[in-house]
Amino acid sequence: MRHIGLTRDLTWLTLSQGLWGLGFGFYGFLWPLYIEHLGGSAVAVGLLSTIAGIATALVVFPGGYVADRVERKSILVWGWLVAIPAPFMFALAPHWQWLIPGVVLYFGSAFSTPALQAVVLEEASPQNLSSAYNVVMSVFGMGMVVGPTIGGLLAVHYSYRLVFVISGVVYCASTACVFPIHRHPPSPSMSVKLKWRPKSRPRFFRWVVFSGGLAVIQGLTWPFVVPYLKESGHLPIETIGVLSSAGILFGTVSAPLWGRIGERVGLPRALGYGLGFVTAGWVLLLWNPSSFAWAMASGVLRGGGEGARGLPGVAVGRTVRSEEAGTAYGVYNLVTEMAGALAPLPGGYLYARWPYMPMAVTAFFSAIVSWWLVNNGPEPPPDQRLHPLSMDS
């Protein structure tokens, strides 16, 4: 843990994130199927995804603003506690519209996300920031490796309701892991302050805008992968669960590696390489969705490439000081979540008309962005990245 830059507090947060990912993994990949089970269509899947994104976007900036002004551990605790009732509400929903309150509550708890990111920036050393950030933010996926397989078996042999109840219990265990971390009170005011506008922070806002565009590309497709495998590929739920677990496993395991690659060749170029793997995965899935081998190869490539998706968050952290990290990540999450929230609804319309179209569009734009990043060159040397104010001058 120390080798990759994890302190005691970051280790507890990593364990908590992993357990939360396990709980979410029980039903995350089943979510579109559960919406259909309750009478929803592909458009309903897109609508609920949009509601989730909007709920997140509305709370992350206020949460980030507060995270720079009050004790950050308390924000984390309340963020975890607020989301616990959501899976129990999902279990009791008689129709898909009844999922909306639980979705708003669950994703509304994202007000704690900027505080989590700020704690990582505060605890990790500059030399290990890429690795530590990627591990803490991606270990959520490690918990999801086992979750989809177990969740699929429980849904088939018992009921969706049992899946959600077990998820709620695991969320409680995850919350218990947040209490042992130290308090993180707000830091004294900085001697030099910059206003939150593009002219004052051009590097920060370039990464924010770019990340928002990337969120749109991803949001067009991700809610419809499971329905696509089930309807176009005619794969059983248990098989889809195994495929989901494999993709998540490679995404989680590759995250520290992408952090190291980013430290060596620059964050843009490393992210470009990752998107290249993602593009290849989408092409394989479009080629033959009914083949387990092709779908597995697609999941491995997409998962391995997605491990690089945490690098923009690292780049944002390197453009600000830890005292203002909450606000910075609040702005970053506001833009990315709002951008991602707008994408699933048109993605749902595309899927309803041509099931392959959302994936084709995502593959096309991912390839263009990958080529641009790889040929855009690396970032400035590491010694320049550690002085955020000079980067924006």
Side-chain angles (χ1 to χ4, degrees):
M1 292 294 185
R2 289 191 296 270
H3 178 68
I4 57 178
L6 294 187
T7 62
R8 174 186 176 276
D9 283 0
L10 294 185
T11 301
W12 276 112
L13 287 175
T14 300
L15 178 59
S16 178
Q17 286 277 87
L19 284 172
W20 198 276
L22 175 64
F24 183 80
F26 285 138
Y27 68 86
F29 90 102
L30 292 170
W31 184 248
L33 303 181
Y34 187 56
I35 295 173
E36 294 179 358
H37 174 74
L38 295 181
S41 63
V43 175
V45 174
L47 176 62
L48 286 172
S49 298
T50 298
I51 292 173
I54 292 175
T56 304
L58 290 177
V59 299
V60 286
F61 179 73
Y65 182 85
V66 173
D68 288 338
R69 290 159 177 80
V70 303
E71 199 276 311
R72 288 170 175 169
K73 175 186 174 180
S74 61
I75 299 177
L76 297 179
V77 171
W78 279 108
W80 264 248
L81 289 174
V82 165
I84 288 177
F88 300 103
M89 298 170 67
F90 297 150
L92 298 174
H95 197 265
W96 74 266
Q97 288 97 333
W98 289 76
L99 297 172
I100 295 176
V103 168
V104 172
L105 183 65
Y106 180 89
F107 288 94
S109 70
F111 66 81
S112 62
T113 300
L116 171 64
Q117 294 165 304
V119 169
V120 176
L121 185 65
E122 182 180 352
E123 286 278 317
S125 65
Q127 293 77 14
N128 293 317
L129 177 60
S130 294
S131 300
Y133 184 94
N134 256 20
V135 168
V136 175
M137 302 307 294
S138 66
V139 76
F140 179 92
M142 182 60 77
M144 291 182 64
V145 171
V146 180
T149 302
I150 299 176
L153 292 173
L154 291 174
V156 170
H157 297 288
Y158 294 95
S159 66
Y160 285 108
R161 177 169 295 181
L162 177 62
V163 174
F164 287 110
V165 170
I166 294 177
S167 296
V169 173
V170 177
Y171 284 172
C172 293
S174 171
T175 304
C177 294
V178 181
F179 286 91
I181 72 171
H182 295 112
R183 289 171 55 84
H184 288 264
S187 301
S189 299
M190 296 182 298
S191 58
V192 178
K193 293 183 179 180
L194 293 177
K195 295 181 179 180
W196 292 99
R197 58 187 185 185
K199 184 177 180 180
S200 302
R201 304 172 183 264
R203 195 168 178 78
F204 167 77
F205 278 97
R206 280 198 296 269
W207 274 108
V208 168
V209 172
F210 169 80
S211 300
L214 208 57
V216 172
I217 295 173
Q218 183 189 40
L220 280 172
T221 303
W222 71 263
F224 311 106
V225 174
V226 172
Y228 178 76
L229 289 172
K230 182 174 180 290
E231 297 172 8
S232 298
H234 307 289
L235 297 177
I237 293 178
E238 296 94 330
T239 301
I240 297 175
V242 173
L243 293 171
S244 299
S245 295
I248 294 167
L249 173 62
F250 277 86
T252 306
V253 172
S254 67
L257 176 62
W258 285 116
R260 294 295 186 186
I261 295 174
E263 292 166 1
R264 291 180 178 273
V265 304
L267 300 180
R269 185 168 291 171
L271 181 59
Y273 293 147
L275 287 175
F277 282 99
V278 172
T279 302
W282 287 125
V283 171
L284 291 183
L285 192 61
L286 286 167
W287 185 262
N288 192 354
S290 60
S291 168
F292 175 81
W294 285 85
M296 177 62 75
S298 169
V300 170
L301 287 171
R302 287 184 291 112
E306 285 291 336
R309 285 297 304 276
L311 296 179
V314 178
V316 168
R318 282 176 169 165
T319 64
V320 298
R321 298 181 177 182
S322 61
E323 295 91 335
E324 57 182 5
T327 303
Y329 282 117
V331 174
Y332 169 75
N333 291 323
L334 170 64
V335 173
T336 56
E337 293 296 336
M338 186 61 72
L342 298 176
L345 197 54
Y349 283 105
L350 287 175
Y351 181 85
R353 189 174 180 86
W354 306 288
Y356 61 87
M357 186 56 69
M359 274 154 282
V361 173
T362 296
F364 175 76
F365 284 104
S366 295
I368 292 177
V369 175
S370 173
W371 178 88
W372 179 75
L373 287 172
V374 170
N375 291 276
N376 198 37
E379 285 195 315
D383 59 335
Q384 296 180 25
R385 297 190 215 124
L386 303 182
H387 303 282
L389 294 183
S390 64
M391 287 193 300
D392 280 337
S393 61

